[in-house]
Amino acid sequence: MAELSARMRSMVQPYLAGIEPYDPNFTPTRINLSANENTYPLPADVREAVDAALAATPLNRYPDPMSNELRDELAARHGVARENICVGNGGDELLFNFLLAFGGEGRQLLNCPPCFSEYEFFASLTRTGVRNVRRDRKTFALDERALLAAAPQASLAIITSPNNPTGDIVERSFIERLCHACPGPVMVDEAYIEFADAGASTEELLEDCPNLVVLHTLSKAFGAAGIRCGYVIAAPDVIEVFAAIRQIYSVNVLTQAAAAAMVRARDAFSPVVEQIRSERERMYRALAADGRLTVWPSQGNFLLVRMEGASRIRERLRDEFSILVRDFSYAPGLDDCLRITVGTPEENDEVLAALAALLD
Ligand SMILES: *Cc1c(COP(=O)(O)O)cnc(C)c1O
């Protein structure tokens, strides 16, 4: 990965001198199962509704800074009020703003790796300290005791559920205890919650836990990673913080219009989500049946798989089969692990066949 030039290292803020530009590690392939996108086609009637909404959107006016029409659709989806929601340019913008508002120098993010690497990246950009409480090496279960012990010193916490890349979900009762133990806000990143079993969301704790923040995105279950739309649900005074520090026009008019149409049509996504869940179980069983692989149960639209020589296998999947999956073997605790997004039945069959060929 490239580093900043020496010239730039001397110009940027000193704490940024060691930063490495993001390398998406992207190669165009026939089958891309590397980013947990939804690879199913958008339901035709939803696509039509989105196209009509885009066609009716004037481009000459600035966007509504607070995305109020979209917020009302989202509020209806979740049974909350508009004042409980802030929309962002993808979940990523909201994660950055969360660190910007509640982190900072001399303050500490409570983090549970292996998890989404953006949290630590945004902590470094905002000069927030990170207190890592690692998951169990074998099962990836949270170390609940250590987290509760560290919580009183944390300025903010993030727990991912289902966790990316390990696939497990967090117990609601634990989040309740964590919210009581942590003086700052506790975010539960539910980017993949639609793929989890019913009742897995921590949202119903919002009433009793005024420091809970639940993160959602349209990038995964809604198959809309390209439009960049995420949102948080929290108490109104927490939302006011997100609203106060955001780039006011970060969610553009086309995104607002497309997202509102998709959320309105949300029931049309249920069959797609059901099929991904059933493909996930089929893939899990097929991979678990191979004694050379370790695969963890997942509540997301992806599976974490450990195999000898994972990095090389990923390269060969890409170069010989034109299948892209994500290599995590460099990440602490994830040696020899690949993350494979659950795709369409045809894509999944190809993954299974290619892996069988490469492991022989
Ligand atoms: C994909 C993802 C997000 C949000 O992604 P956006 O495309 O920025 O909305 C947030 N958290 C996790 C863990 C994710 O995997």
Side-chain angles (χ1 to χ4, degrees), residues 128-349:
T128 309
V130 179
R131 169 79 166 89
N132 278 327
V133 175
R134 301 197 66 81
R135 289 161 180 267
D136 184 86
R137 291 177 57 85
K138 284 215 174 75
T139 65
F140 300 121
L142 291 170
D143 187 341
E144 298 188 352
R145 272 189 28 199
L147 282 166
L148 291 172
Q153 284 80 49
S155 313
L156 71 171
I158 307 180
I159 309 279
T160 327
S161 180
N163 187 40
N164 173 13
T166 61
D168 51 300
I169 56 168
V170 69
E171 292 279 341
R172 192 182 298 142
S173 58
F174 172 69
I175 293 300
E176 190 171 14
R177 280 183 288 154
L178 189 64
C179 283
H180 291 315
C182 184
V186 173
M187 178 184 278
V188 180
D189 180 344
E190 296 194 351
Y192 299 97
I193 199 68
E194 292 86 351
F195 301 109
D197 295 343
S201 175
T202 57
E203 242 156 71
E204 67 181 50
L205 292 174
L206 283 162
E207 202 120 320
D208 290 331
C209 302
N211 58 338
L212 176 63
V213 181
V214 181
L215 179 72
H216 286 279
T217 178
L218 299 199
S219 295
K220 310 287 163 50
F222 281 87
I227 72 172
R228 311 304 306 129
C229 184
Y231 56 101
V232 283
I233 310 179
D237 59 343
V238 178
I239 293 301
E240 276 166 16
V241 175
F242 279 95
I245 65 165
R246 60 186 296 274
Q247 305 278 324
I248 49 175
Y249 298 132
S250 68
V251 184
N252 72 68
V253 289
L254 298 174
T255 294
Q256 289 187 33
M262 294 177 97
V263 173
R264 204 172 296 133
R266 57 192 171 276
D267 291 343
F269 290 90
S270 304
V272 180
V273 167
E274 266 320 305
Q275 193 173 7
I276 292 171
R277 282 168 51 86
S278 103
E279 281 295 299
R280 175 184 74 205
E281 297 318 307
R282 180 173 78 89
M283 290 290 282
Y284 176 82
R285 284 195 301 273
L287 295 165
D290 189 322
R292 294 161 298 190
L293 306 175
T294 307
V295 54
W296 283 265
S298 170
Q299 291 278 297
N301 65 338
F302 53 83
L303 290 164
L304 187 71
V305 190
R306 176 171 278 157
M307 66 196 74
E308 215 179 296
S311 262
R312 181 69 192 129
I313 291 202
R314 174 194 174 267
E315 282 176 5
R316 294 188 63 193
L317 280 172
R318 181 192 62 200
D319 301 339
E320 297 169 33
F321 296 87
S322 198
I323 297 174
L324 197 64
V325 302
R326 184 72 192 272
D327 187 8
F328 275 95
S329 52
Y330 64 87
L334 297 177
D335 33 293
D336 267 345
C337 284
L338 303 179
R339 189 195 65 198
I340 305 175
T341 304
V342 175
T344 61
E346 299 74 30
E347 290 173 326
N348 300 331
D349 284 341

